[in-house]
Structures are given as C-alpha cells and as structure tokens.
Amino acid sequence: MPFALKSPDSQLAALRLLRGMVEKNTIAPRVVIAARTITNDCPSRNDECELEAIFNAVKNGDKRVKGLAKGFRYVADPNYADWFGTPERLLEMCAAGACGGDCDEHAALIAGLAGAIGF
C-alpha cells in the first residue's frame, strides 16, 4: 500500500516508514519471484553478482521481469507530498506500465529485492 506524508516529522520518521515497508515486502511473492529471476544467472552465494544484477535491473531493466524491461525510471513526487510505494506495489505498477518513482522508491525497490534473497 502506498503512503503519502504531507510533512514528515523528520527524515528519521520517513526512513523508519520506508524500512518497515521494505521489511514486510521481502517475503511478498511478487518481490521474491522478481529477485530470484533477476539473480538467476549468478552463481550460488555470489553476493556481488546478485547485488549488481538487482541494481542493473532497476537502473537499466530486465526483460525477464514483467514491466521492468526498461528499468525503473525517475519520476518526481507531487510538490505537496512525499509518496512511498512498497516494493510489491512498485512491481505491480511496473507490470501495469507505470514503472517509475523518485529516489525513495528506487531505494525501496532495490532494498526489497535484495532483502528477498537474504541481504
């Protein structure tokens, strides 16, 4: 579920919210499947390969993940709110053809995918 905050009490409050959203989404089936698909070509237990594959998939795209073929493009939040999408919701939006978000969503998506495979 996405969240919008008009004026977070602090950066720390926003980071806590993002952390909780990401942690809960590391076991979401869509996130786990995407992470495993993205890292499928990496040798087992090769952390560097897996993290690089996730970063590159989000930045440049991965045709094996529905909606993520062109990567996750940067799109600014509205001026009046900070919008936070969960990794699962972001992948749903990508599959629906709306694959983009600001730096918060980029970080959440990368962290969620990495968390889904044990980071």
Side-chain angles (χ1 to χ4, degrees):
M1 174 177 179
F3 293 88
L5 299 176
K6 290 190 177 180
S7 58
D9 295 335
S10 68
Q11 277 292 76
L12 187 58
L15 290 173
R16 284 184 179 140
L17 176 63
L18 284 167
R19 181 190 69 208
M21 291 169 51
V22 169
E23 284 177 353
K24 291 176 186 173
N25 270 236
T26 60
I27 60 170
R30 183 183 291 266
V31 178
V32 173
I33 291 168
R36 290 181 181 177
T37 299
I38 290 166
T39 60
N40 193 50
D41 295 336
C42 292
S44 294
R45 315 285 286 178
N46 187 327
D47 294 349
E48 184 178 346
C49 179
E50 291 173 342
L51 290 173
E52 188 174 335
I54 288 169
F55 178 82
N56 286 332
V58 172
K59 182 176 181 179
N60 303 314
D62 188 319
K63 293 179 182 178
R64 299 172 296 178
V65 178
K66 184 177 180 182
L68 200 58
K70 295 180 181 178
F72 194 77
R73 71 185 187 94
Y74 181 86
V75 178
D77 281 342
N79 289 333
Y80 61 89
D82 209 358
W83 191 88
F84 301 118
T86 65
E88 183 177 33
R89 181 69 177 133
L90 296 171
L91 288 171
E92 288 173 10
M93 290 174 63
C94 286
C99 200
D102 72 356
C103 53
D104 299 324
E105 282 80 47
H106 276 83
L109 184 54
I110 290 171
L113 291 167
I117 57 168
F119 287 95

